[in-house]
Amino acid sequence: MRFTVYRKPDGGRQAALVEPDEVRPLAGSLTDLLAAPGGSRGPVQPQLGAPLPAGLPTVPPVQPLVVVAPGPRPDPALPEQAIRLAGHREFYLKSGHTVIGAEDAIPYRDALGALSYRAQLGLIFRPTNRHTPAAAILDRLAAVVLAAEVYSVDLLRVGWEGTMWHVRYGEGASFDGACPIGPLLVTADELLGAEVRLTDGAGDAAIEWPDVAEFAAYVNEWMELGPSVLVLAGSRHGPVMTLEGADPVIRFPSGEPALGPSDVVRASSSALGEVAAPVGKPLIVAR
Amino acid sequence: MRLLTYETAPGARVGVLRGERVVELALGYGRIGRPAPGSLDELIAGGEEAWTTARRAVEVLAPEDGVPLDGLRLAPPFIPRTIICGGANFADHLDETHREKPDHVEFFLKSPTGVVGAGTDVRMDRALSTKYDYEVELGIVIGRPARNVMREAALDYVCGYTIINDVSIRDRQVIPWDPGRYQLRFGEGKSYRDSAPLGPWLVTADELPDVSTLGLRTRVSGQLRQNNSMRNIIWDVPALISYYSTYMTLEPGFLIAAGTPGGPALGSDVELGADPYERRDGVVRGAYVPDGALVECEIDGIGVLANRYVVAD
C-alpha cells in the first residue's frame, strides 16, 4: 500500500491511501497504523473515506523524534590497515525537526556554506526490541520513504580536540530542512527484495537490501526501533572517510553538487516518488 | 515553579513541587476555570501565554492540596523534542582526556528515545558495553523558537532548567585510531536505552535567573566523582544557545545539555587516553559504574537526579 499525508486548508493533516486512480483519506494517523503489532499488513486495516481532490500539498508522511544516519563509508582506495581504522561503521543523529516535506523549502543560512545531498531509503520499523539480527530485521520493517539527506560540504568536516577527533555532524548535517522526505510512504511488502532504484544529483543506484539490513541491525544493537526513529540506509556514492597522511578527512566525490539559495534538492524513485525541495532564501537575523 | 511529572495508576500527571509536597497542576487549572495541559511537553509548547496561565493556576494551590513527594514515582518531567549536547566544555574534563579546547562549540545530538526519569534504573547491557559512565550536566530548556539569536538576548529563549545525566558508554565512544589518537563517536557512545536520565523536575527560569555560578556534583554510591561550578564553563549558556541557533531553529521543548566537568570514569581510563592527574577538590578518581551503584547528579538550585545503574539484558 502507498500512503501520503496532506496539509488540509485549516492547517491540519490528513493521511490518505494512494491508489492508482484515486486518493482516499484514512480515519486514523499513519503513525498509529505503523505502530500496530502487524503494521499495515496486520490486524489494523485502514478505514477509508470518500476520495480526495487532486493537488493537495503534502507534508512529511511521518514525523520522527530522531533520524539515524550512517557516517561516511571508508574510502575503498585505502590500504587494508587504513580501511580498518577508517572503516568502522558509524552512525550519527539528526534532529527529527530536520524532517520536512518533499516539496518544502530548505531554509538557507549563510553559515551553512555549500549544500549537497544524497538520495537514501528512509526506514520505518514496527516497534522492535534490540539485537535483532540482520537476517531478521527487515521482517520488522513497516514502510519506507524516499529521503534526500542534505549536508553542508563546508561544515561536514573532521574536528580535532588535541588527541581526539570527531566528525562535526551537528553543524554539518542537522540544520533546518536537512531531511526532506516523501511524498509517499510505501509499505515494506510492496518493496522488499524488489529492485528499487534511487536517483539524485550524483547518479543512480539500486538499493542493496543486504546492506540496508546490516545497517538497520547495527543501529538496533543500540536502540529499539519504531515509528519515532527514522533510519536512513545510506548511499553508495556519498562522501567517504579517507586519510591525508595519517589524518582522517572526509573527501567528497569530484563533481559534488554545491547548492545554495534558489537551487533545488532533487531525488526520485519510480517506487517512492520525487523529492523536489528548493533551497530557500537566507534567514533574517532575529535579534 | 518546580514542575514535575509523576506516575499514577490512570496515567502520568503534571505536578508542582510545594515544599516537600506535590500538588497536581490540573487542580489549579480547574479552580481558575481553564483546561489543564495534558503534559509538561504541551505546556512548554504553548509558549508564554501557557506559562502565564500556569502561574495563575499554581497561585491558587496550597501545599495541603498535595501529596508527599517521597513515595511518588517520577517520570521524566518532559520528553525533549531534540537533545543537543555541548561537550568539551570544562577545562578539567579536557585536561584529564588529553584534549585541547576546540576552536568551536562542540555540537552533537543525543536521542530523546533514551530519556528516563529520576529513580528509574539505567539498564546496562553488557553485550553493548562494559564501560558505562556518568556526566552531570545542566539541561537548558528552550521555551521560544530561537534562530540566529545573539548572545545578549539568548536567555530570553529559556523557559527553565533541569539536570541531565549524559550517560556514556566509553568503549563505544572513544575508539583508538593510531598511537595516542582517538576517534570520538557520539552516536554510538551517547544514544541507546536509558542513556538520558532527566529531572527530577524542571525549574522555571524566573526561579534561576543566574545559572552561571551553580555548583555541579556527581556521587557514585556516595563517593564524590565530579565537583565543579558553572563559573568554570568554557562556553556559557548564552554562548551555547547563540551558537546552536546559528545552524538550527531551537524549538520549544528542545534541551541543550551544557557539558560536563572533569571526573567521569573516562578521566581515569588510561586505555582510552586519559591522564588521571591528582585532584585537589575532593573528587575521587574511580572506575566505571558497577552493577547496583546509585549515581546522583546534583546541581545547586535544582536538586538531585538519582538513578541506579543495573546490569540487564
Side-chain angles (χ1 to χ4, degrees):
Chain A
M1 286 184 281
R2 296 171 174 226
F3 299 96
T4 194
V5 180
Y6 291 113
R7 182 180 293 117
K8 294 194 289 189
D10 65 1
R13 294 175 175 216
Q14 177 64 62
L17 177 69
V18 179
E19 296 183 307
D21 50 354
E22 64 181 12
V23 178
R24 300 178 67 189
L26 292 179
S29 78
L30 273 185
T31 301
D32 291 344
L33 196 67
L34 297 173
S40 57
R41 292 177 293 167
V44 177
Q45 293 299 321
Q47 304 288 311
L48 302 175
L52 290 168
L56 292 173
T58 61
V59 297
V62 288
Q63 197 66 63
L65 200 52
V66 67
V67 180
V68 184
R73 296 169 298 120
D75 183 350
L78 288 174
E80 189 175 340
Q81 173 66 7
I83 287 180
R84 190 186 65 75
L85 289 171
H88 284 295
R89 194 192 336 239
E90 182 182 15
F91 69 77
Y92 69 95
L93 307 183
K94 294 163 86 89
S95 165
H97 279 259
T98 64
V99 171
I100 60 173
E103 297 181 335
D104 290 343
I106 299 165
Y108 184 75
R109 300 170 184 238
D110 290 334
L112 296 176
L115 303 181
S116 191
Y117 66 99
R118 289 293 183 275
Q120 300 191 20
L121 267 193
L123 314 172
I124 300 109
F125 287 86
R126 292 193 287 277
T128 305
N129 290 331
R130 291 176 314 122
H131 299 308
T132 308
I137 192 83
L138 294 184
D139 294 342
R140 302 298 301 164
L141 184 65
V144 301
V145 65
L146 176 63
E149 216 252 316
V150 185
Y151 48 85
S152 162
V153 176
D154 293 318
L155 300 179
L156 190 64
R157 297 297 168 105
V158 168
W160 281 94
E161 298 166 3
T163 59
M164 297 186 175
W165 65 272
H166 65 277
V167 179
R168 297 176 64 182
Y169 294 115
E171 297 93 331
S174 194
F175 44 85
D176 293 341
C179 194
I181 66 169
L184 297 174
L185 180 137
V186 180
T187 52
D189 56 317
E190 287 212 4
L191 295 178
L192 271 179
E195 179 174 287
V196 176
R197 300 193 76 84
L198 304 184
T199 304
D200 58 26
D204 172 85
I207 294 299
E208 301 285 344
W209 288 106
D211 292 355
V212 171
E214 196 181 352
F215 181 66
Y218 179 71
V219 174
N220 186 233
E221 284 182 49
W222 274 261
M223 50 180 91
E224 289 148 354
L225 301 177
S228 63
V229 179
L230 176 66
V231 179
L232 301 185
S235 167
R236 288 201 155 231
H237 48 242
V240 296
M241 180 65 72
T242 189
L243 296 173
E244 279 183 2
D247 292 338
V249 294
I250 292 176
R251 178 175 298 150
F252 297 90
S254 60
E256 178 80 349
L259 306 184
S262 80
D263 290 323
V264 178
V265 166
R266 287 189 189 280
S268 62
S269 164
S270 59
L272 297 165
E274 184 185 27
V275 167
V279 181
K281 292 178 179 173
L283 286 167
I284 297 168
V285 174
R287 298 179 66 165
Chain B
M1 293 186 287
R2 289 163 183 262
L3 299 168
L4 52 82
T5 302
Y6 58 101
E7 305 284 2
T8 69
R13 297 282 188 267
V14 180
V16 58
L17 189 63
R18 306 297 294 266
E20 291 300 310
R21 298 176 74 81
V22 174
V23 187
E24 186 179 348
L25 200 56
L27 192 60
Y29 279 84
R31 287 176 183 170
I32 64 172
R34 299 293 298 272
S39 65
L40 193 46
D41 309 56
E42 192 180 322
L43 171 54
I44 293 168
E48 193 49 45
E49 189 179 333
W51 283 110
T52 301
T53 308
R55 288 188 192 93
R56 283 182 54 211
V58 169
E59 282 171 6
V60 299
L61 295 173
E64 308 82 76
D65 295 325
V67 296
L69 170 64
D70 190 25
L72 286 183
R73 178 174 164 76
L74 298 186
F78 69 105
I79 303 297
R81 296 167 71 183
T82 292
I83 301 174
I84 300 174
C85 296
N89 211 9
F90 282 84
D92 62 341
H93 188 39
L94 291 172
D95 290 345
E96 69 189 4
T97 49
H98 272 309
R99 283 186 286 174
E100 296 163 5
K101 177 188 167 186
D103 57 7
H104 55 83
V105 174
E106 203 171 74
F107 178 2
F108 63 89
L109 300 175
K110 192 172 176 79
S111 177
T113 59
V115 169
V116 295
T120 300
D121 288 347
V122 171
R123 292 166 293 173
M124 298 190 288
D125 178 0
R126 289 299 187 217
L128 195 59
S129 172
T130 57
K131 294 187 174 184
Y132 276 78
D133 210 346
Y134 47 83
E135 292 189 353
V136 60
E137 302 195 21
L138 178 69
I140 306 156
V141 186
I142 299 297
R144 298 169 49 199
R147 69 172 66 91
N148 288 340
V149 170
M150 307 290 278
R151 177 191 155 79
E152 294 72 20
L155 294 182
D156 296 346
Y157 294 83
V158 176
C159 68
Y161 300 94
T162 186
I163 304 170
I164 180 168
N165 177 359
D166 181 12
V167 176
S168 304
I169 48 177
R170 304 304 190 185
D171 42 357
R172 298 296 194 138
Q173 180 195 349
V174 184
I175 309 299
W177 175 258
D178 55 15
R181 302 201 299 176
Y182 303 84
Q183 180 188 6
L184 295 173
R185 292 188 185 162
F186 294 121
E188 284 87 341
K190 300 283 188 174
S191 288
Y192 33 86
R193 181 181 69 180
D194 307 338
S195 61
L198 189 75
W201 36 72
L202 177 149
V203 181
T204 51
D206 56 339
E207 281 204 13
L208 277 175
D210 181 10
V211 296
S212 66
T213 60
L214 302 180
L216 310 90
R217 285 165 291 280
T218 297
R219 289 176 293 276
V220 177
S221 296
Q223 189 178 62
L224 186 66
R225 293 289 192 91
Q226 291 185 282
N227 182 21
N228 210 317
S229 165
M230 290 293 287
R231 289 179 194 278
N232 297 320
I233 202 165
I234 297 171
W235 284 285
D236 62 9
V237 173
L240 293 173
I241 293 169
S242 178
Y243 184 82
Y244 298 133
S245 77
T246 304
Y247 300 98
M248 66 189 304
T249 305
L250 309 179
E251 299 285 354
F254 275 32
L255 183 114
I256 296 172
T260 201
L266 175 63
S268 302
D269 190 342
V270 177
E271 190 176 276
L272 295 182
D275 172 18
Y277 62 86
E278 186 181 350
R279 300 188 62 113
R280 300 172 189 278
D281 56 0
V283 166
V284 178
R285 293 275 180 202
Y288 291 100
V289 181
D291 186 20
L294 183 67
V295 175
E296 299 170 282
C297 296
E298 179 178 18
I299 298 182
D300 295 341
I302 301 179
V304 178
L305 170 66
N307 298 83
R308 195 171 297 282
Y309 286 38
V310 297
V311 171
D313 289 339

